[in-house]
Amino acid sequence: MFSKGNELLEKWCEILDNSEYASNAVEIDVCHWISKATFDVIGLAGFDYHFNAIQNESDELFHAYKEMFEIAISQCDGIRTVIGIYIPLFNKIFPNKRIKTIGRCQEVIRRVAGRLIQQKKSRILEGEKTGTGYSGRDLLTLLIKSNLATDLPPDQRISDEDILHNINTFMFAGSDTTSLALTWTLLLLAKHPESQRRLRAELLGVVPSTAISRLTTDEIESLYNTLSNIPYLNNVVRESLRLIPPIHSSLRVATQDDEIPTSYPVHLRDGTISDQKFIRITKGSFVHVPVEAFNLDKEMWGEDAWDFNPDRWNNLPEAVSVLPGLFSNLLTFSAGPRADKEIYKANVVLTRPYVTGEFKDGSRCPLLVKRYTGQR
């Protein structure tokens, strides 16, 4: 992760050096570049695969995943989509460009990622046979090792096809959400220079004197632990995830009849208000989880709930501190002095940034970037 962050830094410095305005701020689409970096990181963490997306975009597996991402967030024919859900054979008989692209990308993913699974499995089995073992720590290695464990009952083993599905889920669920979270954080810091200054000062205080590329494994682990525990960085990350969650809402399906408790009386369909403090749902009902609404609820977070205020995390309202959440009482894990263009968010599957008046150009977040010339 640190090496890819350093690689992205070097690429941005290269862009600055090659610009005719190198001495001033240069506009960089941070959304585009951070997306490349997160692809590289998750490729390595997921199955020890080098996309090298920061350097170039020639890898066919990278292209396949990116095209699938773009299709997922693009506008489509609603009627055709509904027909395809209820009559899957329709898309096979009458495929359009979108369906053909999905088929082509899936073929590449099955072929390349499938080959990676077989190669990884062979190395693990060879290591067991020779007694040397295989030391890979990526998700694919851990998943295959667990699946090959001798104490695992045969009926609990998963197929290579299911392993591929797990890797795809990891890629789709982790890549864009991570890159968007980082993009929104940079935009918020661009709009709030004082927060940017405070965070920079905190980070400069823990920057190692040795280059990242020369750190030992123990030193990298120590640096990671240090970064995980510096207070203002944690506050900025939590506040960014609260204010602009990458996934604005989620859908769940009830697997059984149930009653959902509520804090307030229930407004019924006929406009009346019931005194009951629960909502009765039946098996098969869709439940919409409004992540963004929860994170911006003024009754929970206070009157400044819509403001970027990292310091709120030093003293959370009691109503928030008792709420559940996988990370910091949040459901999220389910234009300023540095930005000369108006950026707005569009909830298209994920909460993506767009430049006002330039929606057709796709998701972008251009920010003015320049070198830091202060003291370390």
Side-chain angles (χ1 to χ4, degrees):
M1 180 176 65
F2 290 122
S3 63
K4 286 299 176 180
N6 203 49
E7 188 178 334
L8 181 62
L9 168 65
E10 292 175 353
K11 178 59 72 172
W12 284 6
C13 287
E14 181 183 321
I15 293 174
L16 291 175
D17 291 340
N18 292 335
S19 171
E20 58 181 311
Y21 308 106
S23 59
N24 299 313
V26 175
E27 184 178 282
I28 294 178
D29 181 5
V30 298
C31 184
H32 170 75
W33 285 101
I34 291 177
S35 177
K36 287 186 172 188
T38 53
F39 247 104
D40 280 354
V41 170
I42 290 181
L44 291 171
F47 37 95
D48 194 25
Y49 185 82
H50 293 266
F51 285 114
N52 289 322
I54 293 177
Q55 300 304 327
N56 60 70
E57 298 183 5
S58 60
D59 185 88
E60 63 173 339
L61 188 58
F62 170 77
H63 271 290
Y65 277 121
K66 285 302 287 184
E67 282 193 270
M68 292 287 279
F69 279 136
E70 294 305 318
I71 287 175
I73 66 169
S74 63
Q75 300 296 322
C76 60
D77 186 337
I79 295 177
R80 185 186 181 96
T81 300
V82 172
I83 293 174
I85 291 173
Y86 288 97
I87 311 176
L89 194 60
F90 176 81
N91 284 327
K92 292 184 178 180
I93 299 175
F94 305 105
N96 59 4
K97 182 179 179 181
R98 180 189 180 93
I99 298 300
K100 290 179 180 178
T101 301
I102 291 174
R104 175 173 51 78
C105 292
Q106 287 178 335
E107 189 281 325
V108 172
I109 292 172
R110 278 193 296 267
R111 174 170 50 82
V112 180
R115 184 173 66 243
L116 290 173
I117 291 173
Q118 295 307 316
Q119 291 173 348
K120 189 76 69 174
K121 186 184 292 186
S122 297
R123 291 172 185 169
I124 293 172
L125 291 174
E126 182 65 25
E128 291 179 352
K129 183 185 296 184
T130 60
T132 57
Y134 182 69
S135 59
R137 299 176 61 185
D138 55 281
L139 177 65
L140 179 57
T141 296
L142 299 177
L143 190 58
I144 293 177
K145 280 185 176 181
S146 176
N147 200 46
L148 294 175
T150 55
D151 58 347
L152 184 69
D155 62 336
Q156 292 185 21
R157 300 184 192 278
I158 60 176
S159 65
D160 289 351
E161 183 82 6
D162 287 332
I163 291 176
L164 178 59
H165 292 330
N166 274 277
I167 295 299
N168 286 341
T169 298
F170 183 67
M171 285 297 301
F172 282 104
S175 180
D176 258 18
T177 51
T178 303
S179 65
L180 288 171
L182 288 170
T183 296
W184 287 120
T185 300
L186 290 181
L187 178 62
L188 288 168
L189 289 171
K191 290 186 173 186
H192 299 83
E194 177 56 24
S195 293
Q196 183 182 147
R197 184 197 64 76
R198 287 177 60 185
L199 179 59
R200 180 186 295 113
E202 185 178 64
L203 290 173
L204 287 175
V206 299
V207 171
S209 55
T210 306
I212 296 292
S213 58
R214 297 181 180 178
L215 294 180
T216 66
T217 301
D218 289 341
E219 288 172 332
I220 289 176
E221 186 172 343
S222 175
L223 177 58
Y224 173 80
N225 290 332
T226 299
L227 290 172
S228 297
N229 291 289
I230 55 178
Y232 198 64
L233 173 61
N234 274 318
N235 286 358
V236 167
V237 170
R238 287 183 284 196
E239 183 67 351
S240 174
L241 291 172
R242 182 195 70 83
L243 195 60
I244 312 179
I247 300 176
H248 56 87
S249 63
S250 180
L251 281 176
R252 295 291 184 268
V253 179
T255 58
Q256 62 184 35
D257 295 347
D258 206 347
E259 293 180 352
I260 302 177
T262 64
S263 301
Y264 307 99
V266 177
H267 290 252
L268 303 178
R269 291 180 179 178
D270 61 5
T272 60
I273 299 177
S274 171
D275 290 333
Q276 67 185 38
K277 289 294 188 74
F278 64 87
I279 298 173
R280 185 175 289 110
I281 59 173
T282 57
K283 180 179 178 179
S285 298
F286 286 93
V287 179
H288 177 243
V289 183
V291 175
E292 188 173 35
F294 170 84
N295 288 354
L296 301 178
D297 188 349
K298 290 186 177 181
E299 292 192 23
M300 290 285 186
W301 298 89
E303 286 302 311
D304 67 343
W306 293 10
D307 299 331
F308 179 71
N309 177 20
D311 289 324
R312 79 170 70 248
W313 293 91
N314 295 328
N315 186 26
L316 289 177
E318 184 178 352
V320 173
S321 60
V322 298
L323 292 173
L326 289 177
F327 177 71
S328 297
N329 308 96
L330 294 172
L331 288 180
T332 299
F333 283 99
S334 92
R338 296 286 181 140
D340 62 350
K341 294 188 177 182
E342 183 68 22
I343 308 295
Y344 70 97
K345 59 182 181 179
N347 293 334
V348 188
V349 181
L350 301 175
T351 306
R352 291 179 168 274
Y354 290 85
V355 177
T356 300
E358 300 177 14
F359 184 82
K360 291 183 178 180
D361 292 336
S363 180
R364 297 192 303 125
C365 185
L367 297 181
L368 295 176
V369 178
K370 67 177 181 180
R371 292 178 182 272
Y372 173 71
T373 56
Q375 293 184 342
R376 290 202 170 196

